[in-house]
Amino acid sequence: MERQTTIKDIALALRLSTSTVSRALRDAPDVSIETRNAVKALAEELDYQPNKLALSLLKNQTNTIGVIIPNLDYVLATMVKGIDEVALEAGYTVMVCQSDESFGREILNTKRLLDSLVDGFIVSVSSETMVYEHIKKIQNKKIPLVLFDRVINNFAVPKISLDNVEGGRLATQHLIDQGYKRIAILGGPENLGVSNDRIAGCIQTLKQNKIPFDKNLVIHCDFNQDYAYVAAKELLSMNKKPDAIFAISDRLAIGAMLAIKEMGLKIPKDIGLVGFNNEPITNLLTPSISSVEMYAFEIGKATAKMFLEMLHSNEDMSDRTIIIKPKLFIRESSNRLGLSK
Amino acid sequence: MERQTTIKDIALALRLSTSTVSRALRDAPDVSIETRNAVKALAEELDYQPNKLALSLLKNQTNTIGVIIPNLDYVLATMVKGIDEVALEAGYTVMVCQSDESFGREILNTKRLLDSLVDGFIVSVSSETMVYEHIKKIQNKKIPLVLFDRVINNFAVPKISLDNVEGGRLATQHLIDQGYKRIAILGGPENLGVSNDRIAGCIQTLKQNKIPFDKNLVIHCDFNQDYAYVAAKELLSMNKKPDAIFAISDRLAIGAMLAIKEMGLKIPKDIGLVGFNNEPITNLLTPSISSVEMYAFEIGKATAKMFLEMLHSNEDMSDRTIIIKPKLFIRESSNRLGLSK
DNA sequence: CTTGTTAGCATAAACGTTTATATATTATCT
DNA sequence: AGATAATATATAAACGTTTATGCTAACAAG
């Protein structure tokens, strides 16, 4: 690693002081035109680049955003893309740290980034995270923080997320409209808010339609196709088995689909199936899977915008909340009446 | 953003000099036990965290790795996961910048990270990138640099990539073994090395098997399912149409599959199909798609390890190259003889 | 009693900037 | 001519560290 050209080098070469060079480079007044030109010419020649570290130390800002996410699956990668785009535009660099759904790693990542390396945080918590001391620490230090996707309630920070309850409602109402009566729910980890909200929306809609809700029809499992497969088999082996499954993610829906097929049941005739996230894959499978779109890219962009606003304004923004409305895409897996929409 | 506790605060409170505090905190000699204990106790109490920026400026190292990638698709996200894991372990933080397959953004990202923010670079170039001045600049400044996946030839830097030629060979030999005779190639962007290597492997194998190679059976298109769909339709509308398609990515293979199905042709009976990357989705589609596994996670880990070695050794490593061997996974889309493997 | 050693601390320089303040030279005005 | 203003530059402090060097007092050895 070669030593970079510094302002000192230029000053020395031109027999000037560093302050004059600094001012010349930034077109400040109080510098003669000749000096300014000479400085700029030499800077160009030596390929001078201001040292960002020195600047950061001085100004106490790094122009870097720390993004902490549980993983890099389709949805989150898309959100990160949205964050990245807005951040880049605004001159910020993004530091993405994956917690890999591990509480320990989330804490480690937070600590690392907290060591004055980032101007603020954009966080989506891991599914293991039930204690929020590390997030509180960010908050206590008055470091800008925005939560997205998997937000935490009772936390006075800006939040951007999907209306997951509404997503659950959309999916469920659709299944009901298609004549399904015993709707099972394939949920994510038990303490995961997004999952529970989707489930809540589902249950709510069942009640509204006067359909009895059977607790046994809710199964929680990790975000993993294989677990979903096992869980679905379990559901379909009940003596009063469901006639539809609402999976709170497409990956879970796929696991369920494999199980359903393997048991010789027909989708959507015997069993209706709706997923969540609207991953492109849902449209490629046979049958194609109905799914709830969550506009991940838009959520990402909105999050970054909110963050930047927070960074630059000095208003209290802790009660700002953006809730994105989901949309159901109806496909073969639940469309047994042959409706088109 | 609250001011962090600094070494000065501690020094002032304890009527010591900053140097003594610094030494005390790091268990250096020349500090009495009482002083050391007092310093440590106060540091603990005030939640002192050393300022990384100051340290970075002083030591001229940031413990940060700049990763520049074209996008965050399944393969690259997996590679990044591998890089991340190794980097985290070694105490490094990763800065991921997506060029979004845009040459301009790749340059912008490189510039941003070059401003002394990272200790080195791990780069996979965009498909638009045909001129490598920005990469040369990294090299000229003697900043550690490792290329991975989409590497550049004639560049004296460590490289980690898949044996793409071999991948092309595996896929093609398999198709030939299955009795396919007119094998078309669905390639990526024309100047993309990984794509061309896979194609080269394919052509090589055709020749080895004395199968005439028809130039018209090679179509290049962007990494996009829709383009692949159009390209495949074109291929299948030729008067001497192919009886198999080797797609150099799974996404392209999926586009081709849709086209084939739509034209009423049967897979694998009428048309054989092999993809590349072995994305999980290949095993979920109907028919399931044969694909070449590229061990993305391993490539990511190997890349990060190589990078760290380069960072810490002072040997010349510019001729280091790791080539990962691919493996073909045979599935329904190409298995018309009913072989199992 | 002088000299040397050592323990324990402080001082100062360094990393690369910006910026408030000081200084020196020249120009302007009365 | 002398005072004042203006211009153009330098000096120094600051950001938060580490570290080489310097200093002082106590104590041991001769």
Side-chain angles (χ1 to χ4, degrees):
Chain A
M1 182 121 59
E2 268 179 1
R3 215 180 63 79
Q4 286 274 34
T5 303
T6 76
I7 240 175
K8 262 190 200 168
D9 301 328
I10 299 179
L12 214 66
L14 262 44
R15 302 175 161 277
L16 289 169
S17 73
T18 58
S19 71
T20 305
V21 174
S22 171
R23 307 179 60 98
L25 285 171
R26 290 172 311 109
D27 288 325
D30 282 22
V31 171
S32 73
I33 304 179
E34 304 88 53
T35 314
R36 182 192 307 174
N37 289 339
V39 167
K40 286 196 170 175
L42 190 58
E44 175 78 16
E45 190 192 325
L46 298 180
D47 189 29
Y48 167 75
Q49 301 291 349
N51 185 314
K52 284 256 169 83
L53 282 175
L55 270 172
S56 293
L57 180 59
L58 192 67
K59 308 227 157 156
N60 200 27
Q61 65 165 16
T62 58
N63 274 30
T64 301
I65 310 173
V67 176
I68 295 183
I69 50 175
N71 58 60
L72 265 178
D73 63 16
Y74 171 76
V75 172
L76 277 161
T78 308
M79 289 180 174
V80 168
K81 214 167 240 177
I83 293 175
D84 211 45
E85 185 159 303
V86 172
L88 190 80
E89 185 78 17
Y92 283 78
T93 316
V94 169
M95 224 146 170
V96 180
C97 292
Q98 303 176 55
S99 63
D100 211 20
E101 300 286 4
S102 143
F103 179 55
R105 255 173 90 158
E106 185 171 299
I107 292 191
L108 181 57
N109 282 328
T110 315
K111 272 216 185 95
R112 290 258 179 96
L113 294 187
L114 211 48
D115 292 346
S116 66
L117 284 171
V118 296
D119 289 346
F121 285 84
I122 293 180
V123 177
S124 190
V125 295
S126 92
S127 55
E128 274 184 26
T129 306
M130 308 189 62
V131 168
Y132 305 112
E133 289 310 313
H134 56 306
I135 309 288
K136 275 216 182 91
K137 204 166 177 181
I138 299 176
Q139 216 185 354
N140 289 342
K141 297 201 175 190
K142 310 243 161 93
I143 296 172
L145 165 66
V146 174
L147 296 175
F148 77 110
D149 192 31
R150 300 191 191 168
V151 302
I152 309 168
N153 294 325
N154 312 324
F155 241 79
V157 293
K159 307 180 185 77
I160 293 91
S161 62
L162 186 76
D163 188 339
N164 287 296
V165 177
E166 173 69 10
R169 272 193 222 113
L170 288 175
T172 310
Q173 189 59 55
H174 162 64
L175 285 170
I176 294 171
D177 291 347
Q178 290 283 330
Y180 295 104
K181 298 236 146 54
R182 264 183 79 72
I183 300 173
I185 304 176
L186 211 48
E190 284 202 53
N191 75 310
L192 192 63
V194 291
S195 169
N196 293 336
D197 285 352
R198 291 168 194 178
I199 294 172
C202 178
I203 295 175
Q204 213 173 88
T205 308
L206 290 175
K207 287 193 177 149
Q208 274 169 7
N209 286 268
K210 310 247 161 30
I211 295 181
F213 161 62
D214 183 349
K215 246 187 172 173
N216 298 315
L217 289 181
V218 182
I219 297 198
H220 290 273
C221 64
D222 271 8
F223 280 125
N224 180 307
Q225 187 177 303
D226 299 334
Y227 289 121
Y229 170 87
V230 173
K233 283 224 159 167
E234 201 175 309
L235 281 170
L236 298 171
S237 312
M238 294 172 65
N239 44 2
K240 282 183 67 182
K241 68 162 159 277
D243 62 356
I245 297 179
F246 167 45
I248 63 99
S249 99
D250 288 332
R251 296 289 153 173
L252 297 186
I254 291 170
M257 188 183 84
L258 295 178
I260 299 169
K261 278 187 177 174
E262 203 178 285
M263 296 181 80
L265 295 165
K266 295 290 168 208
I267 308 174
K269 197 173 133 278
D270 306 322
I271 307 282
L273 181 63
V274 176
F276 213 107
N277 288 351
N278 201 26
E279 288 195 39
I281 187 177
T282 53
N283 206 16
L284 296 169
L285 297 169
T286 317
S288 57
I289 302 180
S290 303
S291 190
V292 178
E293 166 69 43
M294 62 176 297
Y295 302 103
F297 189 69
E298 280 69 24
I299 291 185
K301 288 206 290 186
T303 304
K305 279 179 194 161
M306 175 79 87
F307 177 84
L308 291 173
E309 198 185 331
M310 187 175 190
L311 207 57
H312 297 128
S313 107
N314 28 19
E315 282 173 54
D316 177 35
M317 296 181 52
S318 58
D319 59 346
R320 292 281 207 97
T321 302
I322 296 181
I323 298 200
I324 307 279
K325 286 288 167 198
K327 181 179 168 190
L328 174 69
F329 283 79
I330 298 173
R331 304 202 175 89
E332 294 164 357
S333 70
S334 63
N335 192 8
R336 70 173 167 189
L337 301 183
L339 296 177
S340 64
K341 200 174 184 178
Chain B
M1 183 119 61
E2 267 178 2
R3 215 179 64 79
Q4 285 274 35
T5 303
T6 76
I7 239 174
K8 262 190 200 167
D9 300 327
I10 300 180
L12 214 65
L14 262 45
R15 301 176 164 277
L16 288 169
S17 73
T18 58
S19 71
T20 304
V21 174
S22 171
R23 306 179 61 98
L25 285 171
R26 291 174 309 111
D27 287 326
D30 281 23
V31 170
S32 73
I33 303 179
E34 303 88 54
T35 314
R36 185 192 305 174
N37 290 339
V39 167
K40 285 194 173 177
L42 190 58
E44 176 77 16
E45 189 192 325
L46 299 179
D47 189 29
Y48 167 75
Q49 300 291 350
N51 184 312
K52 284 259 168 81
L53 282 175
L55 269 172
S56 293
L57 180 60
L58 192 67
K59 308 228 155 155
N60 199 28
Q61 65 164 15
T62 58
N63 275 27
T64 301
I65 310 174
V67 175
I68 295 183
I69 51 175
N71 59 60
L72 265 179
D73 63 17
Y74 171 76
V75 172
L76 277 161
T78 309
M79 290 180 172
V80 167
K81 216 168 238 176
I83 293 174
D84 211 45
E85 185 158 305
V86 172
L88 189 81
E89 184 79 16
Y92 283 79
T93 316
V94 169
M95 223 147 171
V96 180
C97 292
Q98 303 176 57
S99 63
D100 211 19
E101 301 285 4
S102 141
F103 179 56
R105 255 174 90 158
E106 186 171 299
I107 291 191
L108 180 58
N109 281 328
T110 315
K111 271 216 186 97
R112 290 257 179 96
L113 294 187
L114 210 50
D115 293 346
S116 66
L117 284 172
V118 296
D119 288 346
F121 284 86
I122 293 180
V123 177
S124 190
V125 294
S126 91
S127 56
E128 274 184 26
T129 306
M130 309 189 61
V131 168
Y132 304 112
E133 288 310 313
H134 57 306
I135 308 289
K136 275 217 181 88
K137 204 166 177 181
I138 301 176
Q139 215 185 356
N140 289 341
K141 298 201 176 190
K142 308 246 161 88
I143 297 172
L145 165 66
V146 174
L147 296 175
F148 78 110
D149 192 31
R150 301 192 190 166
V151 301
I152 310 167
N153 294 324
N154 313 322
F155 241 79
V157 293
K159 307 180 185 82
I160 293 89
S161 63
L162 187 75
D163 188 340
N164 287 297
V165 177
E166 174 68 9
R169 273 193 223 114
L170 288 175
T172 310
Q173 189 61 54
H174 162 65
L175 285 170
I176 294 171
D177 291 347
Q178 290 283 330
Y180 295 105
K181 299 237 145 57
R182 264 183 79 72
I183 300 173
I185 304 176
L186 211 48
E190 284 200 56
N191 76 310
L192 192 63
V194 290
S195 169
N196 293 335
D197 285 353
R198 290 168 194 179
I199 294 173
C202 178
I203 296 176
Q204 215 175 85
T205 308
L206 289 176
K207 286 193 178 148
Q208 271 169 10
N209 286 268
K210 309 251 159 34
I211 295 181
F213 161 62
D214 183 350
K215 248 187 170 172
N216 298 317
L217 290 182
V218 183
I219 297 197
H220 291 274
C221 65
D222 270 9
F223 280 125
N224 180 307
Q225 187 178 302
D226 299 334
Y227 289 121
Y229 170 86
V230 173
K233 283 225 159 167
E234 202 176 310
L235 281 170
L236 297 171
S237 311
M238 294 172 65
N239 43 4
K240 282 182 67 182
K241 68 161 158 278
D243 62 356
I245 296 179
F246 167 47
I248 63 98
S249 98
D250 288 332
R251 295 291 153 172
L252 297 185
I254 291 170
M257 189 184 84
L258 294 178
I260 298 169
K261 279 187 176 175
E262 203 177 284
M263 295 180 80
L265 296 164
K266 294 290 168 207
I267 307 173
K269 196 173 135 275
D270 306 323
I271 306 282
L273 180 63
V274 176
F276 214 107
N277 289 351
N278 201 27
E279 287 194 39
I281 187 178
T282 53
N283 206 16
L284 296 169
L285 297 170
T286 317
S288 58
I289 302 180
S290 303
S291 190
V292 178
E293 165 69 44
M294 61 177 298
Y295 300 104
F297 189 68
E298 279 70 25
I299 290 185
K301 288 207 289 187
T303 304
K305 278 180 193 160
M306 175 79 88
F307 176 84
L308 291 173
E309 198 184 331
M310 187 176 190
L311 207 57
H312 297 127
S313 108
N314 27 21
E315 282 175 54
D316 177 36
M317 295 181 54
S318 59
D319 59 346
R320 292 283 207 95
T321 301
I322 295 181
I323 299 200
I324 306 281
K325 286 288 167 197
K327 182 179 167 188
L328 174 69
F329 283 79
I330 298 173
R331 302 202 175 88
E332 295 164 356
S333 70
S334 62
N335 193 8
R336 71 172 165 188
L337 302 183
L339 296 176
S340 65
K341 201 175 184 178

